[in-house]
Amino acid sequence: VFLDMNDAEGLPSLVAGHDVVISLLPATMHVKVAELCIENGKHFVSASYESPQMRELDERARSAGLTLLNEIGLDPGIDHMSAMKIIDEAHER
């Protein structure tokens, strides 16, 4: 989807029209998108590391019954899930 992040009408409309927003934008833009997700009752996923600013949105998202999921990409993301799988398997032994 092509969108100008400065489009004050386009971004909220795009967020409102979907169940989940997957942001591959630069990390500095995630907070703005995540805030719109919370306002519109939408879940949010990004491949970026979780910033302190994103962490501050956690309680608002949880209160709204929403998930803000960061670090879900190749690195970070798949590598973390693979590590947890190995750790869980080791604990089972």
Side-chain angles (χ1 to χ4, degrees):
V1 171
F2 176 80
L3 178 72
D4 181 344
M5 282 295 292
N6 296 315
D7 182 347
E9 294 177 14
L11 182 58
S13 175
L14 188 62
V15 168
H18 295 84
D19 296 325
V20 177
V21 173
I22 301 171
S23 178
L24 298 177
L25 295 166
T28 57
M29 296 180 170
H30 290 319
V31 172
K32 179 178 182 179
V33 177
E35 287 175 335
L36 284 170
C37 287
I38 294 169
E39 291 169 16
N40 286 279
K42 310 300 177 178
H43 301 285
F44 173 89
V45 179
S46 84
S48 297
Y49 287 103
E50 183 181 57
S51 68
Q53 295 83 5
M54 285 296 293
R55 230 174 272 124
E56 290 174 10
L57 299 176
D58 183 62
E59 185 55 41
R60 282 179 51 206
R62 287 177 187 256
S63 294
L66 299 170
T67 300
L68 302 181
L69 191 57
N70 295 281
E71 302 185 26
I72 299 299
L74 179 59
D75 178 27
I78 294 173
D79 58 338
H80 293 181
M81 290 187 291
S82 296
M84 287 308 301
K85 182 177 186 274
I86 292 167
I87 291 168
D88 289 343
E89 288 172 356
H91 285 161
E92 290 174 3
R93 292 179 185 184

Coordinates of all heavy atoms in Angstrom, one line a residue:
V1 N 0.8 -1.2 0.0 CA 0.0 0.0 0.0 C 0.9 1.2 0.0 O 1.8 1.3 0.8 CB -0.9 0.0 1.3 CG1 -1.6 1.3 1.4 CG2 -1.9 -1.1 1.2
F2 N 0.6 2.2 -0.9 CA 1.4 3.4 -0.9 C 0.6 4.4 -0.1 O -0.6 4.6 -0.2 CB 1.5 4.0 -2.3 CG 2.2 5.3 -2.4 CD1 3.5 5.4 -2.3 CD2 1.4 6.5 -2.5 CE1 4.1 6.6 -2.3 CE2 2.0 7.7 -2.5 CZ 3.4 7.8 -2.4
L3 N 1.3 5.1 0.8 CA 0.7 6.1 1.7 C 1.7 7.1 2.2 O 2.8 6.7 2.6 CB 0.0 5.4 2.9 CG -0.6 6.3 3.9 CD1 -1.9 6.9 3.3 CD2 -0.9 5.6 5.2
D4 N 1.4 8.3 2.1 CA 2.2 9.4 2.7 C 1.9 9.5 4.2 O 0.7 9.7 4.6 CB 1.9 10.7 2.0 CG 2.7 11.9 2.5 OD1 3.3 11.8 3.6 OD2 2.7 12.9 1.9
M5 N 2.9 9.2 5.0 CA 2.7 9.3 6.5 C 2.2 10.6 7.0 O 1.6 10.7 8.1 CB 3.9 8.9 7.2 CG 4.2 7.4 7.2 SD 3.0 6.5 8.1 CE 3.3 7.0 9.8
N6 N 2.3 11.6 6.2 CA 1.8 12.9 6.6 C 0.4 13.2 6.2 O -0.2 14.2 6.4 CB 2.7 14.0 6.0 CG 4.1 14.0 6.6 OD1 4.3 13.8 7.8 ND2 5.1 14.0 5.8
D7 N -0.3 12.2 5.5 CA -1.6 12.3 5.1 C -2.6 12.1 6.3 O -2.8 11.0 6.7 CB -1.9 11.2 4.0 CG -3.3 11.3 3.4 OD1 -4.2 12.0 4.0 OD2 -3.5 10.6 2.4
A8 N -3.1 13.2 6.8 CA -3.8 13.2 8.1 C -5.1 12.4 7.9 O -5.7 12.0 8.9 CB -4.1 14.6 8.5
E9 N -5.6 12.2 6.7 CA -6.9 11.5 6.6 C -6.6 10.1 6.1 O -7.3 9.1 6.4 CB -7.8 12.2 5.6 CG -8.3 13.5 6.1 CD -9.1 14.3 5.0 OE1 -9.6 13.7 4.0 OE2 -9.4 15.5 5.2
G10 N -5.6 9.9 5.2 CA -5.4 8.6 4.6 C -4.9 7.5 5.6 O -5.4 6.4 5.6
L11 N -4.0 7.9 6.5 CA -3.5 6.9 7.5 C -4.6 6.4 8.4 O -4.8 5.2 8.5 CB -2.3 7.5 8.2 CG -1.6 6.5 9.2 CD1 -1.1 5.3 8.6 CD2 -0.5 7.2 9.9
P12 N -5.3 7.3 9.1 CA -6.4 6.8 9.9 C -7.4 6.0 9.2 O -7.9 4.9 9.7 CB -7.0 8.1 10.5 CG -6.0 9.1 10.4 CD -5.2 8.8 9.2
S13 N -7.7 6.3 8.0 CA -8.7 5.6 7.2 C -8.2 4.2 6.8 O -8.9 3.2 6.9 CB -9.0 6.4 5.9 OG -9.8 5.6 5.0
L14 N -6.9 4.1 6.5 CA -6.3 2.8 6.2 C -6.2 1.9 7.4 O -6.6 0.7 7.3 CB -4.8 3.1 5.7 CG -4.1 1.8 5.1 CD1 -4.9 1.3 3.9 CD2 -2.7 2.2 4.7
V15 N -5.9 2.5 8.5 CA -5.9 1.7 9.8 C -7.3 1.2 10.1 O -7.5 0.0 10.4 CB -5.3 2.5 10.9 CG1 -5.5 1.8 12.3 CG2 -3.8 2.7 10.7
A16 N -8.2 2.1 10.0 CA -9.6 1.7 10.4 C -10.2 0.6 9.5 O -11.1 -0.1 10.0 CB -10.5 3.0 10.3
G17 N -9.7 0.5 8.3 CA -10.3 -0.5 7.4 C -9.7 -1.9 7.5 O -10.0 -2.7 6.6
H18 N -8.9 -2.2 8.5 CA -8.3 -3.5 8.6 C -8.3 -4.0 10.0 O -8.5 -3.2 11.0 CB -6.8 -3.4 8.1 CG -6.7 -3.1 6.7 ND1 -6.7 -1.8 6.2 CD2 -6.6 -3.9 5.6 CE1 -6.7 -1.8 4.9 NE2 -6.6 -3.1 4.5
D19 N -8.2 -5.3 10.2 CA -8.2 -5.9 11.5 C -6.9 -5.9 12.2 O -6.8 -5.7 13.4 CB -8.6 -7.4 11.4 CG -10.1 -7.5 10.9 OD1 -10.9 -6.7 11.3 OD2 -10.3 -8.5 10.2
V20 N -5.8 -6.0 11.4 CA -4.4 -6.0 11.9 C -3.6 -5.1 11.0 O -3.7 -5.1 9.8 CB -3.8 -7.4 11.9 CG1 -2.4 -7.4 12.4 CG2 -4.7 -8.4 12.7
V21 N -2.7 -4.3 11.7 CA -1.8 -3.5 10.9 C -0.4 -4.1 11.1 O 0.1 -4.3 12.2 CB -1.8 -2.0 11.4 CG1 -0.8 -1.2 10.7 CG2 -3.2 -1.4 11.2
I22 N 0.3 -4.3 10.0 CA 1.7 -4.8 10.0 C 2.5 -3.7 9.4 O 2.4 -3.3 8.3 CB 1.8 -6.1 9.1 CG1 0.9 -7.2 9.6 CG2 3.3 -6.5 9.1 CD1 0.9 -8.4 8.7
S23 N 3.3 -3.1 10.3 CA 4.1 -1.9 10.0 C 5.6 -2.3 9.7 O 6.2 -2.9 10.5 CB 4.1 -0.9 11.1 OG 4.9 0.2 10.8
L24 N 6.0 -2.0 8.5 CA 7.4 -2.2 8.1 C 8.0 -0.9 7.9 O 9.0 -0.8 7.2 CB 7.5 -3.1 6.8 CG 6.9 -4.5 7.0 CD1 7.0 -5.3 5.7 CD2 7.6 -5.3 8.1
L25 N 7.4 0.1 8.5 CA 8.0 1.5 8.4 C 9.2 1.6 9.3 O 9.5 0.7 10.1 CB 6.9 2.5 8.9 CG 5.7 2.6 8.1 CD1 4.6 3.3 8.9 CD2 6.0 3.3 6.8
P26 N 10.0 2.7 9.1 CA 11.1 2.9 10.1 C 10.6 2.9 11.5 O 9.4 3.4 11.8 CB 11.6 4.3 9.6 CG 11.2 4.4 8.2 CD 9.9 3.7 8.1
A27 N 11.4 2.5 12.4 CA 10.9 2.3 13.8 C 10.4 3.6 14.4 O 9.5 3.6 15.3 CB 12.1 1.8 14.7
T28 N 11.0 4.8 14.0 CA 10.5 6.1 14.5 C 9.1 6.4 14.2 O 8.5 7.3 14.8 CB 11.4 7.2 14.0 OG1 11.4 7.2 12.5 CG2 12.8 7.0 14.5
M29 N 8.5 5.7 13.2 CA 7.1 5.9 12.8 C 6.1 5.0 13.5 O 4.9 5.2 13.3 CB 7.0 5.8 11.3 CG 7.8 6.9 10.6 SD 7.6 6.7 8.8 CE 8.4 8.2 8.2
H30 N 6.5 4.0 14.1 CA 5.6 2.9 14.7 C 4.7 3.5 15.8 O 3.5 3.1 15.8 CB 6.4 1.8 15.3 CG 7.1 0.9 14.3 ND1 6.5 0.5 13.1 CD2 8.3 0.3 14.3 CE1 7.4 -0.2 12.4 NE2 8.5 -0.4 13.1
V31 N 5.2 4.4 16.6 CA 4.3 4.9 17.7 C 3.1 5.6 17.1 O 1.9 5.3 17.6 CB 5.1 5.8 18.6 CG1 4.2 6.5 19.6 CG2 6.2 5.1 19.3
K32 N 3.2 6.4 16.1 CA 2.1 7.1 15.5 C 1.1 6.0 15.0 O -0.1 6.2 15.2 CB 2.6 8.0 14.4 CG 1.5 8.7 13.7 CD 2.0 9.6 12.6 CE 1.0 10.4 11.9 NZ 1.5 11.4 10.9
V33 N 1.6 5.0 14.3 CA 0.7 4.0 13.7 C 0.0 3.2 14.9 O -1.2 2.9 14.8 CB 1.4 3.1 12.8 CG1 0.5 2.0 12.2 CG2 2.0 3.9 11.6
A34 N 0.8 2.8 15.9 CA 0.3 2.0 17.0 C -0.8 2.8 17.7 O -1.8 2.2 18.2 CB 1.4 1.6 17.9
E35 N -0.6 4.1 17.9 CA -1.6 4.9 18.6 C -2.9 4.9 17.8 O -4.0 4.8 18.4 CB -1.1 6.4 18.8 CG -0.1 6.5 19.9 CD 0.5 7.8 20.0 OE1 0.5 8.6 19.0 OE2 1.0 8.1 21.1
L36 N -2.8 5.0 16.5 CA -4.0 5.0 15.6 C -4.7 3.6 15.7 O -5.9 3.5 15.7 CB -3.7 5.2 14.2 CG -3.4 6.7 13.8 CD1 -2.8 6.8 12.4 CD2 -4.7 7.5 13.9
C37 N -3.9 2.5 15.8 CA -4.4 1.2 16.0 C -5.2 1.1 17.3 O -6.4 0.6 17.3 CB -3.3 0.2 16.0 SG -2.6 -0.1 14.4
I38 N -4.7 1.6 18.4 CA -5.4 1.6 19.7 C -6.7 2.4 19.5 O -7.8 2.0 20.0 CB -4.5 2.2 20.8 CG1 -3.4 1.2 21.0 CG2 -5.4 2.3 22.1 CD1 -2.3 1.8 22.0
E39 N -6.7 3.6 18.9 CA -7.8 4.4 18.8 C -8.9 3.7 17.9 O -10.1 4.0 18.1 CB -7.5 5.8 18.1 CG -6.6 6.7 19.0 CD -6.0 7.8 18.3 OE1 -6.5 8.2 17.1 OE2 -5.1 8.5 18.8
N40 N -8.5 2.9 17.0 CA -9.4 2.3 16.1 C -9.7 0.8 16.4 O -10.4 0.1 15.7 CB -8.9 2.4 14.6 CG -9.1 3.7 14.1 OD1 -10.1 4.1 13.6 ND2 -8.0 4.5 14.1
G41 N -9.2 0.3 17.5 CA -9.4 -1.1 18.0 C -8.8 -2.1 17.1 O -9.4 -3.2 16.8
K42 N -7.6 -1.8 16.6 CA -6.8 -2.8 15.7 C -5.6 -3.3 16.3 O -4.9 -2.5 17.1 CB -6.5 -2.0 14.4 CG -7.7 -1.3 13.7 CD -8.8 -2.3 13.4 CE -10.0 -1.5 12.8 NZ -11.1 -2.3 12.4
H43 N -5.2 -4.5 16.0 CA -3.9 -5.1 16.5 C -2.8 -4.5 15.7 O -3.0 -4.1 14.5 CB -4.0 -6.6 16.4 CG -5.1 -7.2 17.2 ND1 -5.0 -7.3 18.6 CD2 -6.3 -7.7 16.8 CE1 -6.1 -7.8 19.0 NE2 -6.9 -8.1 18.0
F44 N -1.6 -4.5 16.2 CA -0.4 -3.9 15.6 C 0.8 -4.9 15.6 O 1.0 -5.5 16.7 CB 0.0 -2.6 16.3 CG 1.2 -2.0 15.8 CD1 1.3 -1.1 14.7 CD2 2.4 -2.3 16.4 CE1 2.4 -0.5 14.3 CE2 3.6 -1.7 16.0 CZ 3.6 -0.9 14.9
V45 N 1.5 -5.1 14.5 CA 2.7 -5.9 14.4 C 3.8 -5.2 13.7 O 3.5 -4.5 12.7 CB 2.4 -7.2 13.7 CG1 3.6 -8.1 13.6 CG2 1.2 -8.0 14.3
S46 N 5.0 -5.3 14.3 CA 6.1 -4.7 13.6 C 7.3 -5.6 13.7 O 7.4 -6.4 14.6 CB 6.5 -3.3 14.2 OG 7.3 -3.4 15.3
A47 N 8.3 -5.4 12.8 CA 9.5 -6.2 12.9 C 10.6 -5.5 13.7 O 11.7 -6.1 13.9 CB 10.0 -6.4 11.4
S48 N 10.4 -4.3 14.2 CA 11.4 -3.5 14.9 C 11.5 -3.9 16.3 O 10.5 -4.4 16.9 CB 11.1 -2.0 14.8 OG 11.1 -1.6 13.4
Y49 N 12.6 -3.6 16.9 CA 12.8 -3.8 18.4 C 11.8 -2.9 19.1 O 11.5 -1.8 18.6 CB 14.2 -3.4 18.8 CG 15.2 -4.5 18.4 CD1 16.1 -4.2 17.3 CD2 15.3 -5.6 19.1 CE1 17.0 -5.2 17.0 CE2 16.3 -6.6 18.8 CZ 17.1 -6.4 17.7 OH 18.0 -7.3 17.3
E50 N 11.4 -3.3 20.2 CA 10.4 -2.5 21.0 C 11.1 -1.3 21.6 O 12.1 -1.5 22.4 CB 9.8 -3.4 22.1 CG 8.8 -2.7 22.9 CD 8.2 -3.5 24.0 OE1 9.0 -4.0 24.8 OE2 7.0 -3.7 24.0
S51 N 10.6 -0.1 21.4 CA 11.2 1.1 21.9 C 10.5 1.4 23.3 O 9.4 1.0 23.5 CB 11.0 2.3 20.9 OG 9.6 2.6 20.9
P52 N 11.1 2.3 24.1 CA 10.5 2.7 25.3 C 9.1 3.4 25.0 O 8.2 3.2 25.7 CB 11.4 3.7 25.9 CG 12.8 3.3 25.4 CD 12.5 2.8 24.0
Q53 N 9.0 4.1 23.9 CA 7.8 4.8 23.5 C 6.7 3.8 23.2 O 5.5 4.0 23.6 CB 8.0 5.7 22.3 CG 8.9 6.9 22.6 CD 10.4 6.5 22.5 OE1 10.7 5.4 22.1 NE2 11.2 7.5 22.8
M54 N 7.1 2.7 22.5 CA 6.1 1.6 22.3 C 5.6 0.9 23.6 O 4.5 0.6 23.8 CB 6.6 0.6 21.3 CG 6.7 1.1 19.9 SD 5.1 1.4 19.1 CE 4.4 -0.2 19.1
R55 N 6.6 0.7 24.5 CA 6.3 0.1 25.8 C 5.3 0.9 26.5 O 4.4 0.4 27.2 CB 7.6 0.0 26.6 CG 7.8 -1.4 27.1 CD 9.1 -1.6 27.8 NE 10.1 -2.0 26.8 CZ 11.3 -1.4 26.6 NH1 11.6 -0.3 27.2 NH2 12.1 -1.8 25.6
E56 N 5.3 2.2 26.4 CA 4.4 3.1 27.1 C 2.9 2.9 26.6 O 2.0 3.3 27.3 CB 4.8 4.6 26.9 CG 6.1 5.0 27.7 CD 6.5 6.4 27.4 OE1 5.8 7.1 26.7 OE2 7.7 6.7 27.8
L57 N 2.8 2.4 25.4 CA 1.4 2.1 24.9 C 0.8 0.8 25.4 O -0.4 0.6 25.1 CB 1.4 2.2 23.4 CG 1.9 3.4 22.7 CD1 2.0 3.3 21.2 CD2 1.0 4.6 23.1
D58 N 1.6 0.0 26.0 CA 1.2 -1.3 26.4 C -0.1 -1.4 27.2 O -1.1 -2.1 26.9 CB 2.3 -2.1 27.2 CG 1.9 -3.5 27.5 OD1 1.7 -4.3 26.6 OD2 1.8 -3.8 28.7
E59 N -0.2 -0.6 28.3 CA -1.4 -0.6 29.1 C -2.6 -0.2 28.4 O -3.7 -0.8 28.5 CB -1.2 0.3 30.4 CG -2.3 0.2 31.4 CD -2.6 -1.3 31.8 OE1 -1.6 -2.0 32.1 OE2 -3.8 -1.6 32.0
R60 N -2.5 0.9 27.6 CA -3.7 1.3 26.8 C -4.1 0.2 25.8 O -5.3 0.0 25.7 CB -3.3 2.6 25.9 CG -3.3 3.8 26.7 CD -3.0 5.0 25.9 NE -3.7 5.2 24.7 CZ -3.3 5.8 23.6 NH1 -2.1 6.4 23.6 NH2 -4.0 5.9 22.5
A61 N -3.2 -0.5 25.2 CA -3.6 -1.5 24.3 C -4.2 -2.7 25.0 O -5.3 -3.2 24.6 CB -2.3 -2.0 23.5
R62 N -3.6 -3.1 26.1 CA -4.2 -4.2 26.9 C -5.6 -3.9 27.4 O -6.5 -4.7 27.4 CB -3.3 -4.6 28.1 CG -2.0 -5.3 27.7 CD -1.2 -5.5 29.0 NE 0.1 -6.0 28.6 CZ 0.5 -7.3 28.8 NH1 -0.4 -8.2 29.3 NH2 1.7 -7.7 28.4
S63 N -5.8 -2.6 27.9 CA -7.1 -2.2 28.3 C -8.1 -2.3 27.2 O -9.3 -2.5 27.5 CB -7.0 -0.8 28.9 OG -6.2 -0.8 30.1
A64 N -7.7 -2.1 26.0 CA -8.6 -2.1 24.9 C -8.7 -3.5 24.3 O -9.4 -3.7 23.3 CB -8.1 -1.2 23.8
G65 N -8.0 -4.5 24.9 CA -8.1 -5.9 24.4 C -7.3 -6.1 23.1 O -7.6 -7.0 22.3
L66 N -6.2 -5.3 22.9 CA -5.5 -5.3 21.7 C -4.0 -5.8 22.0 O -3.5 -5.6 23.1 CB -5.4 -3.9 21.1 CG -6.8 -3.3 20.7 CD1 -6.6 -1.9 20.3 CD2 -7.4 -4.1 19.5
T67 N -3.4 -6.3 20.9 CA -2.0 -6.7 21.0 C -1.2 -5.8 20.2 O -1.5 -5.5 19.0 CB -1.9 -8.1 20.4 OG1 -2.7 -9.0 21.2 CG2 -0.5 -8.6 20.5
L68 N -0.1 -5.3 20.8 CA 1.0 -4.6 20.0 C 2.2 -5.5 20.1 O 2.8 -5.7 21.1 CB 1.3 -3.3 20.7 CG 0.2 -2.3 21.0 CD1 0.8 -1.0 21.6 CD2 -0.5 -1.9 19.6
L69 N 2.5 -6.1 18.9 CA 3.5 -7.2 18.9 C 4.7 -6.6 18.1 O 4.6 -6.4 16.9 CB 2.9 -8.4 18.2 CG 3.7 -9.7 18.3 CD1 4.0 -10.1 19.7 CD2 2.9 -10.8 17.6
N70 N 5.8 -6.5 18.8 CA 7.0 -6.0 18.1 C 8.1 -7.1 18.0 O 7.9 -8.2 18.6 CB 7.6 -4.9 19.0 CG 6.7 -3.7 19.0 OD1 6.7 -2.9 18.1 ND2 6.0 -3.5 20.1
E71 N 9.1 -6.9 17.3 CA 10.2 -7.8 17.2 C 9.8 -9.1 16.5 O 10.3 -10.2 16.8 CB 10.9 -8.1 18.5 CG 11.4 -6.8 19.1 CD 12.2 -7.0 20.4 OE1 12.8 -8.1 20.6 OE2 12.2 -6.1 21.2
I72 N 8.9 -9.0 15.5 CA 8.4 -10.2 14.8 C 8.8 -10.0 13.3 O 8.1 -9.5 12.5 CB 6.9 -10.4 14.9 CG1 6.5 -10.6 16.3 CG2 6.4 -11.5 14.1 CD1 7.1 -11.8 17.0
G73 N 10.0 -10.4 13.0 CA 10.5 -10.4 11.7 C 11.5 -11.5 11.6 O 11.4 -12.5 12.2
L74 N 12.6 -11.3 10.8 CA 13.6 -12.3 10.6 C 14.6 -12.2 11.8 O 14.8 -13.1 12.5 CB 14.4 -12.1 9.3 CG 15.5 -13.1 9.1 CD1 15.0 -14.5 9.1 CD2 16.2 -12.8 7.8
D75 N 15.1 -11.0 12.0 CA 16.0 -10.7 13.1 C 15.7 -9.2 13.6 O 16.2 -8.3 12.8 CB 17.4 -10.9 12.7 CG 18.4 -10.5 13.9 OD1 18.0 -10.6 15.0 OD2 19.5 -10.2 13.6
P76 N 15.0 -9.0 14.6 CA 14.5 -9.9 15.6 C 13.2 -10.6 15.2 O 12.6 -10.1 14.3 CB 14.3 -9.0 16.8 CG 13.9 -7.7 16.2 CD 14.7 -7.6 14.9
G77 N 12.9 -11.7 15.8 CA 11.7 -12.3 15.5 C 11.8 -13.8 15.4 O 11.7 -14.5 16.4
I78 N 12.1 -14.3 14.2 CA 12.2 -15.8 14.0 C 13.3 -16.3 14.9 O 13.2 -17.4 15.5 CB 12.4 -16.1 12.5 CG1 11.1 -15.7 11.8 CG2 12.8 -17.6 12.4 CD1 11.3 -15.9 10.3
D79 N 14.4 -15.5 15.0 CA 15.6 -16.0 15.8 C 15.2 -16.2 17.3 O 15.5 -17.1 17.9 CB 16.8 -15.1 15.7 CG 16.5 -13.6 16.0 OD1 15.3 -13.2 16.0 OD2 17.5 -12.9 16.3
H80 N 14.3 -15.2 17.8 CA 13.9 -15.3 19.2 C 13.0 -16.5 19.4 O 13.0 -17.2 20.4 CB 13.2 -14.0 19.6 CG 14.1 -12.9 19.7 ND1 13.6 -11.6 20.0 CD2 15.4 -12.7 19.4 CE1 14.6 -10.8 20.0 NE2 15.7 -11.4 19.6
M81 N 12.0 -16.7 18.4 CA 11.1 -17.8 18.5 C 11.9 -19.2 18.4 O 11.5 -20.1 19.1 CB 10.0 -17.7 17.4 CG 9.1 -16.6 17.7 SD 7.7 -16.5 16.6 CE 8.5 -16.1 15.0
S82 N 12.9 -19.2 17.6 CA 13.7 -20.5 17.5 C 14.4 -20.7 18.8 O 14.5 -21.9 19.2 CB 14.7 -20.3 16.3 OG 14.0 -20.2 15.1
A83 N 15.0 -19.7 19.3 CA 15.7 -19.9 20.6 C 14.8 -20.4 21.7 O 15.1 -21.3 22.5 CB 16.4 -18.6 21.0
M84 N 13.6 -19.8 21.8 CA 12.6 -20.2 22.8 C 12.2 -21.7 22.6 O 12.0 -22.4 23.5 CB 11.4 -19.3 22.8 CG 11.7 -17.9 23.4 SD 12.5 -18.0 25.1 CE 11.3 -18.9 26.0
K85 N 12.0 -22.1 21.3 CA 11.7 -23.5 21.1 C 12.8 -24.4 21.6 O 12.5 -25.4 22.2 CB 11.5 -23.7 19.6 CG 11.1 -25.1 19.2 CD 10.8 -25.2 17.7 CE 10.3 -26.5 17.3 NZ 11.2 -27.5 17.1
I86 N 14.0 -24.1 21.3 CA 15.1 -24.9 21.8 C 15.2 -24.9 23.3 O 15.4 -26.0 23.9 CB 16.5 -24.4 21.2 CG1 16.5 -24.6 19.7 CG2 17.7 -25.0 21.9 CD1 17.6 -23.9 18.9
I87 N 15.0 -23.8 24.0 CA 15.0 -23.7 25.4 C 13.9 -24.5 26.0 O 14.1 -25.3 27.0 CB 14.9 -22.2 25.9 CG1 16.2 -21.5 25.5 CG2 14.6 -22.1 27.4 CD1 16.2 -20.0 25.7
D88 N 12.7 -24.4 25.4 CA 11.5 -25.2 25.9 C 11.8 -26.7 25.8 O 11.4 -27.5 26.7 CB 10.2 -24.8 25.2 CG 9.7 -23.4 25.5 OD1 10.2 -22.9 26.6 OD2 8.9 -22.9 24.8
E89 N 12.4 -27.1 24.7 CA 12.6 -28.5 24.5 C 13.7 -29.0 25.5 O 13.6 -30.1 26.0 CB 13.1 -28.8 23.0 CG 12.0 -28.6 22.0 CD 12.5 -28.7 20.6 OE1 13.8 -28.7 20.3 OE2 11.7 -28.7 19.7
A90 N 14.7 -28.2 25.8 CA 15.7 -28.5 26.8 C 15.0 -28.7 28.2 O 15.4 -29.6 28.9 CB 16.8 -27.5 26.8
H91 N 14.1 -27.8 28.5 CA 13.4 -27.9 29.8 C 12.6 -29.2 29.9 O 12.4 -29.7 31.0 CB 12.6 -26.7 30.0 CG 13.4 -25.4 30.4 ND1 12.8 -24.2 30.3 CD2 14.6 -25.3 30.8 CE1 13.8 -23.3 30.7 NE2 14.8 -24.0 31.0
E92 N 12.0 -29.6 28.8 CA 11.2 -30.8 28.8 C 12.0 -32.1 29.1 O 11.5 -33.1 29.5 CB 10.4 -30.9 27.5 CG 9.4 -29.9 27.3 CD 8.7 -30.0 25.9 OE1 9.1 -30.9 25.1 OE2 7.9 -29.1 25.7
R93 N 13.3 -32.0 28.8 CA 14.2 -33.2 29.0 C 14.6 -33.3 30.4 O 14.8 -33.6 31.3 CB 15.4 -33.1 28.1 CG 15.0 -33.2 26.7 CD 16.2 -33.1 25.8 NE 15.7 -33.1 24.4 CZ 16.5 -33.1 23.4 NH1 17.7 -33.1 23.5 NH2 15.9 -33.1 22.2

